[in-house]
Amino acid sequence: ETPMLRSLLYPALAAGLATGLVLASPFVSPAPANAQALNQMQTIAPPTLTLSASADLQIAPEFATIRSGVVSRADSAEQAVRENGNAMSGVFAALRREGIAEADMQTANLSVSPVYTNPRYDSGEERRIIGYEARNTVSAKVRDLTDVGEVLDAMVRAGANNIEGITFGAEDTADAMDEARRMAVARLLEKAELFADAAGQNLCGIRRLAENFSRPQFANAVATRSFAEDSATPIAAGSLTLTATVNADFCIEGD
C-alpha cells in the first residue's frame, strides 16, 4: 500500500462511513447483502440427464478404390528402383487399357529401404545389409463397379505383386449424412423420454445438444479367386455405412 494509495483510499472510506455507504476495496471480496442473496447463491441447479445416441444409414457404393503395386528387391538401391519403375510402368499402362482415367490414378506410396540379415540373438553376428527393397503403390479409382475384378486382374498380370486392398465409396454423402443425423436426434429424444419416464421425471428442455462425430464407413471388398482362368476375380461390393452420433444434456424435473 503506497502513500498515494493511502491518500486516495482512506478519505473515501471515511466519507463512506460518515454517509452510511460501504465502498468495496479491490482487496476485499464483497459479502452478500442479506441472507436471501446468500441462499440464492447456494441454490442447487435442477438435475440433468446426459445421453447419447447413434444411427446408421446404408447406401449403395458408387466407386471402388484399388490399392496395389510392386515390391522389388535387388543388390543395390539403384537397381531396385529401376526394376520397380519398369514394373510399375506396366501397371499404369494396364490401368489405361482398362479405361481408368489419369485423374483417377495416384501414387499412394513410394519407398526404398535396406534389407538386413536376421541373425539369432545368441549368435554374436551383427546385422548387415544384404539388399534393397523398393515399394511403389498406386491408388486407382474404378467408377464402373462391374469392372473391379477385371481391373485387379489386369494389374496383377502387368506385374503388381502387392495388393493392399479394395474399398468402396460414394462421391457425395452430404444428404445421406444429414438423414443419419436426423435419425440419431430422433433416437436420442426417444431415449430421453424412456429414461425420464423410468426415473419418474419429466423432460423440461434441452440444455445442450452436440454432434459427437459423423463419418462414412467405407466398405472393404471381399475377393475370391475363381477356378476358371478366363474369368475375373469376383468382388462383392456390399454397402456403405454412414454413422451419426449426437449427445445432449436434458433438464428433468419431478411431477
Side-chain angles (χ1 to χ4, degrees):
E1 195 175 275
T2 63
M4 179 176 294
L5 181 60
R6 285 197 300 269
S7 65
L8 294 175
L9 182 60
Y10 291 163
L13 287 174
L17 292 174
T19 59
L21 299 177
V22 177
L23 301 179
S25 167
F27 307 104
V28 180
S29 299
N34 49 47
Q36 182 180 359
L38 180 59
N39 291 334
Q40 291 176 353
M41 294 174 60
Q42 294 176 344
T43 300
I44 300 176
T48 299
L49 175 64
T50 300
L51 295 171
S52 64
S54 298
D56 295 334
L57 183 66
Q58 306 289 329
I59 64 173
E62 299 174 356
F63 63 85
T65 302
I66 302 175
R67 287 176 60 95
S68 181
V70 177
V71 179
S72 305
R73 283 192 179 186
D75 293 336
S76 66
E78 180 182 3
Q79 182 182 0
V81 171
R82 182 170 60 251
E83 293 178 0
N84 189 280
N86 292 335
M88 282 301 298
S89 295
V91 173
F92 278 107
L95 289 173
R96 296 185 185 96
R97 288 193 298 269
E98 293 297 322
I100 306 301
E102 294 290 338
D104 290 335
M105 293 185 287
Q106 183 179 27
T107 298
N109 179 50
L110 177 60
S111 64
V112 182
S113 58
V115 179
Y116 293 90
T117 59
N118 189 25
R120 291 180 46 171
Y121 71 93
D122 57 351
S123 65
E125 297 180 12
E126 294 184 359
R127 295 179 65 198
R128 56 188 178 85
I129 296 176
I130 57 174
Y132 291 86
E133 182 178 272
R135 289 177 173 266
N136 197 335
T137 303
V138 61
S139 176
K141 180 182 288 187
V142 183
R143 298 185 181 274
D144 188 345
L145 297 181
T146 61
D147 293 340
V148 177
E150 294 180 1
V151 173
L152 178 62
D153 289 347
M155 296 175 72
V156 173
R157 287 193 299 268
N161 58 5
N162 181 39
I163 301 174
E164 295 187 1
I166 304 173
T167 57
F168 292 89
E171 295 291 351
D172 187 4
T173 61
D175 291 341
M177 285 302 311
D178 286 344
E179 181 61 25
R181 293 183 177 103
R182 293 187 183 95
M183 294 168 56
V185 172
R187 186 166 299 175
L188 178 66
L189 295 177
E190 293 177 359
K191 193 174 181 180
E193 290 282 358
L194 173 65
F195 272 71
D197 181 68
Q201 300 287 310
N202 295 318
L203 296 177
C204 54
I206 299 177
R207 292 179 172 175
R208 182 189 61 87
L209 178 63
E211 183 176 33
N212 190 6
F213 66 90
S214 297
R215 58 183 171 82
Q217 299 176 356
F218 296 110
N220 293 319
V222 178
T224 57
R225 172 60 63 183
S226 171
F227 290 102
E229 294 183 358
D230 58 346
S231 63
T233 300
I235 303 294
S239 60
L240 300 180
T241 302
L242 307 181
T243 301
T245 300
V246 293
N247 54 74
D249 294 334
F250 295 90
C251 170
I252 56 176
E253 60 185 3
D255 295 332

